[in-house]
Amino acid sequence: LTIARFYVSPDELKKSCLAIEGLAHHHLSRVLRIRLGQKVIVMDGEGSVGQATVREIGPSKSLLAVDTLIKMEKEEPGLHLFQALIQWKKMDRIVQYMVEMGVNSLIPFSCHRSRPLESLGADRVERWRNIAVESSRLAGRPYLPRVENPKDWEGALLSLQTFDEVLYADEEGGSRPAEVLGSRDNINIGMIVGPEGGFTDKERESLAAFGVSPVTLGDTILRAEIAGLVMTSALRCHYGLL
Amino acid sequence: LTIARFYVSPDELKKSCLAIEGLAHHHLSRVLRIRLGQKVIVMDGEGSVGQATVREIGPSKSLLAVDTLIKMEKEEPGLHLFQALIQWKKMDRIVQYMVEMGVNSLIPFSCHRSRPLESLGADRVERWRNIAVESSRLAGRPYLPRVENPKDWEGALLSLQTFDEVLYADEEGGSRPAEVLGSRDNINIGMIVGPEGGFTDKERESLAAFGVSPVTLGDTILRAEIAGLVMTSALRCHYGLL
């Protein structure tokens, strides 16, 4: 069976004997019922991954001795998903899927046909961050993906310039993602998925003005819920990662 | 906005003026509120796709005049997903996703760590078929995908021989799907996705004995819910369809 994985802080992972506390300790000692002497994986979310042996299990914390520690290479290309705000249930799944598929950051945004930014509520983004950490732990990702603060349409457009290439999934067709990217690598790629109902003509014009390439995801019509996952698959496939 | 699509029987689509009844009529007249003279798409689920004009909207049926009718090419390669029975909520989504992604048939099966075949209940498969038809209508697929009767493990293994190549998603790694398939095309491909927790050693031996190739879906660990979707994306990408 799969070996258990835990995130600890980068400072904690620098120690040869580290402590696991709080929810992670509860998970280790009560849920997984890990025993003294068992091996686990510890990760700092910034690329360092260690194998450790459980040395002590107390009522409020466990102590682990780090046996080996390696630094994983940064994930290339960088994949960043701009996702229009849709039904909250679907957003939860999108966070989970994008983490499992190796996306590096999720940037939720609002636009004309999306849910409005104001409907987010106080703890919605916090909830997505928790889902991201838990999915990332289960998927064993050495670099923790980020869930950025949601942006309005103008904010989303302005942040596009930090990427080397930006693609958006267009129901009306376009080139294949592989054709747009060609043989460039080591780049940061933004992927934009609009709301159910798509972008308005005005929004499409803005995307074009910002140099965003419309891409096709094949000849069937995908719902917004899986469009990001499918675009990510296409890119990972193009880069030989899938 | 997207044009409305309806399935009719192959016999109905042979007529120059056809009738839409029952739920489809309700959907056309009440939900979409389509008016006289509007254009819609009619499909027979066997590759024939027509554009039609609404000529009459009655209380129990609508009449459509078929303007143009074309026969779409058969989808190549044929993609067939063997999915181990997992949580019913997830199975519902798997049916939806696989239809949107162009899979041609879904073969649910039981194995050691899946839900047992006996837990299916009388109307579960019927429910999946309804989801498949509705997803297919929304996705605009000219060929209706099939949901086969669920099979036990032996039944699933025996049915593998009808495919030209069978791949299974293996957490322990393997070749990339593209490497296994190479340049062969026009083939029928079986894709096997195991249950959460994976296949037993004995089941893995059986798969090997039946000539099934283990493939990797990248270096993260995917849940059973999206493994089929990601494998389908990898194959569609390999064949230039994504």
Side-chain angles (χ1 to χ4, degrees), chain A residues 93 96-97 100-101 135 139 176 217-223 225-226 229-230 233 236-237 240-242, chain B residues 93 96-97 100-101 135 139 176 217-223 225-226 229-230 233 236-237 240-242:
Chain A
R93 286 202 291 272
Q96 180 186 319
Y97 297 164
E100 290 181 21
M101 276 307 288
S135 299
R176 293 175 55 210
L217 296 178
D219 56 4
T220 61
I221 296 155
L222 301 175
R223 273 176 255 211
E225 184 180 348
I226 60 166
L229 173 54
V230 172
S233 298
R236 288 184 69 88
C237 193
L241 301 169
L242 171 66
Chain B
R93 288 202 289 273
Q96 180 186 319
Y97 297 163
E100 290 181 22
M101 277 305 290
S135 300
R176 293 174 57 210
L217 296 178
D219 55 6
T220 61
I221 296 157
L222 301 175
R223 274 175 254 210
E225 185 180 346
I226 60 167
L229 172 54
V230 172
S233 298
R236 287 183 70 88
C237 193
L241 302 169
L242 172 67

Side-chain angles (χ1 to χ4, degrees), chain B residues 2 9 39 77 82 110 129 156 158 205 215-216 232 239:
Chain B
T2 321
S9 72
K39 303 277 180 199
F82 286 77
S110 67
R129 288 184 178 138
L158 285 174
E205 282 164 27
V215 294
T216 177
T232 306
Y239 285 103

Side-chain angles (χ1 to χ4, degrees), chain A residues 106-125:
Chain A
L106 177 74
I107 306 101
F109 70 92
S110 66
C111 60
H112 190 70
R113 296 194 184 119
S114 78
R115 292 216 163 175
L117 219 47
E118 302 77 48
S119 66
L120 268 168
D123 47 5
R124 184 68 58 186
V125 179

